[in-house]
Amino acid sequence: MAGRRALITGVTGQDGSYLAELLLKKGYEVFGLIRRLSSPNMSNLEAVRGRLHILDGDLTDQSSLSSAVKEADPDEVYNLAAQSFVATSFTQPVLTGEITGLGALRLLEAVRAHSPKVRFYQASSSEMFGQIAQEPQNESTPFHPRSPYGVAKVYAYWACVNYREAYTLFVSNGILFNHESPRRGLEFVTRKITDGVARIALGKADSITLGNLDARRDWGYAPDYVDFMWRILQHNEPSDFVGATGEAHTVREFLAEAFSVAGVPDWERYVKVDARFNRPSEVYALRGDAAKAKRVLGWEPSVRFKELVRRMVEADLERLSGGATKN
């Protein structure tokens, strides 16, 4: 892959940092788009920061995206940036639409105008399925989003399909189900659990407060999923693919497994339920069917539920014990 160039939006996030590492190992020259903040969080990029080209830009600013595309002159663009926290999308729906929905359109426009031969990956989401019509969900399952985040992702998905059909651009959607890691933000339920369990095990906290414990999700391991993104853009034609493990587990099961890994018995006494953490419109069950990805791309996840929980809990135990891990 020597000599290939890639532009990643959202490069400081969980997926962006793992993807940057993967592409660098494959010999890519990697450009990462970073939104200018007074104190940007670069912790996920510690291992590779000196090997990245950092570009300033924002999905709400068309000129910055055009400048980034022109400067990077990429072979591949991965749009991973978004306002990606579902709960926040209910309190900031317009901002979510601007970044997660229209942001993807602005990046498509920058590519169409300045680099139309690019292969473009859009991070689509299982949240687009929302109130599910069938289980498991595949590429043909109708969308019924249940949050402003899901609505914005549906808009971005169809914008990508339209640009593929209208302008014959190489644009593909990866409809990824939940994927987690020790780099997951602390505001997400899986990391809130593993961080909280580690604190309880180490005597630093005495409880965790959560919302709906019965929501079921298809949870995979983020490094498996960035390999999936890369494979999508290596395919000989643009298409849309579901990435998932095919297994669904409840938040309650995640809790039980996390406390078990940490060696803490009777986990129920440490968990408080607060309805304030429930969504105004809940997504109760998501489970994906990645048969197309396996058949066409040769992809399937390598890390399953119990191993995922173990890696996350052990990483938080090490971090909070004075060690540091970002694996």
Side-chain angles (χ1 to χ4, degrees), residues 136-210:
Q137 296 90 53
N138 61 29
E139 294 82 3
S140 300
T141 304
F143 299 139
H144 186 152
R146 298 267 287 169
S147 66
Y149 170 76
V151 171
K153 281 292 188 182
V154 169
Y155 178 91
Y157 171 93
W158 285 114
C160 287
V161 172
N162 179 249
Y163 271 58
R164 183 168 70 212
E165 295 174 352
Y167 304 115
T168 63
L169 298 182
F170 193 111
V171 181
S172 295
N173 284 286
I175 307 173
L176 271 57
F177 281 66
N178 295 63
H179 47 286
E180 317 296 323
S181 77
R183 297 183 191 176
R184 189 56 137 161
L186 287 166
E187 68 271 24
F188 289 86
V189 66
T190 50
R191 187 71 195 293
K192 185 176 181 181
I193 290 171
T194 61
D195 175 77
V197 167
R199 289 179 186 277
I200 289 168
L202 295 169
K204 296 175 182 285
D206 55 15
S207 67
I208 309 173
T209 303
L210 300 167

Side-chain angles (χ1 to χ4, degrees), residues 46-235:
E46 284 172 6
V48 296
R49 185 173 178 181
R51 299 165 61 197
L52 291 175
H53 302 284
I54 300 299
L55 304 176
D56 287 342
D58 193 305
L59 289 185
T60 64
D61 184 73
Q62 184 71 59
S63 62
S64 71
L65 299 179
S66 296
S67 295
V69 169
K70 286 189 282 188
E71 184 170 348
D73 188 23
D75 299 288
E76 299 169 6
V77 170
Y78 296 85
N79 184 34
L80 310 187
Q83 190 303 97
S84 58
F85 191 38
V86 174
T88 298
S89 79
F90 283 102
T91 57
Q92 300 184 45
V94 176
L95 178 70
T96 301
E98 279 285 353
I99 297 171
T100 307
L102 283 172
L105 182 68
R106 292 186 188 101
L107 189 57
L108 286 166
E109 268 296 289
V111 164
R112 183 176 74 87
H114 304 293
S115 197
K117 299 300 183 186
V118 153
R119 294 189 171 204
F120 185 106
Y121 172 86
Q122 167 63 19
S124 289
S125 169
S126 59
E127 288 286 334
M128 301 189 307
F129 295 121
Q131 188 163 303
I132 55 175
Q134 66 186 62
E135 189 177 336
Q137 296 90 53
N138 61 29
E139 294 82 3
S140 300
T141 304
F143 299 139
H144 186 152
R146 298 267 287 169
S147 66
Y149 170 76
V151 171
K153 281 292 188 182
V154 169
Y155 178 91
Y157 171 93
W158 285 114
C160 287
V161 172
N162 179 249
Y163 271 58
R164 183 168 70 212
E165 295 174 352
Y167 304 115
T168 63
L169 298 182
F170 193 111
V171 181
S172 295
N173 284 286
I175 307 173
L176 271 57
F177 281 66
N178 295 63
H179 47 286
E180 317 296 323
S181 77
R183 297 183 191 176
R184 189 56 137 161
L186 287 166
E187 68 271 24
F188 289 86
V189 66
T190 50
R191 187 71 195 293
K192 185 176 181 181
I193 290 171
T194 61
D195 175 77
V197 167
R199 289 179 186 277
I200 289 168
L202 295 169
K204 296 175 182 285
D206 55 15
S207 67
I208 309 173
T209 303
L210 300 167
N212 179 15
L213 302 187
D214 297 316
R216 293 170 61 245
R217 293 292 184 270
D218 186 325
W219 279 303
Y221 183 48
D224 284 341
Y225 286 64
V226 299
D227 171 66
F228 173 63
M229 298 172 190
W230 177 77
R231 288 176 185 238
I232 286 175
L233 292 195
Q234 309 321 302
H235 189 45

Side-chain angles (χ1 to χ4, degrees), residues 135 178 189-190 212-220 245-255 257 284-287 304-309:
E135 189 177 336
N178 295 63
V189 66
T190 50
N212 179 15
L213 302 187
D214 297 316
R216 293 170 61 245
R217 293 292 184 270
D218 186 325
W219 279 303
T245 70
E247 301 174 18
H249 297 271
T250 63
V251 174
R252 193 181 303 276
E253 288 176 85
F254 198 108
L255 277 163
E257 188 64 28
Y284 293 100
L286 293 171
R287 181 168 68 89
R304 298 291 179 171
F305 178 72
K306 285 180 179 291
E307 175 67 10
L308 169 68
V309 178

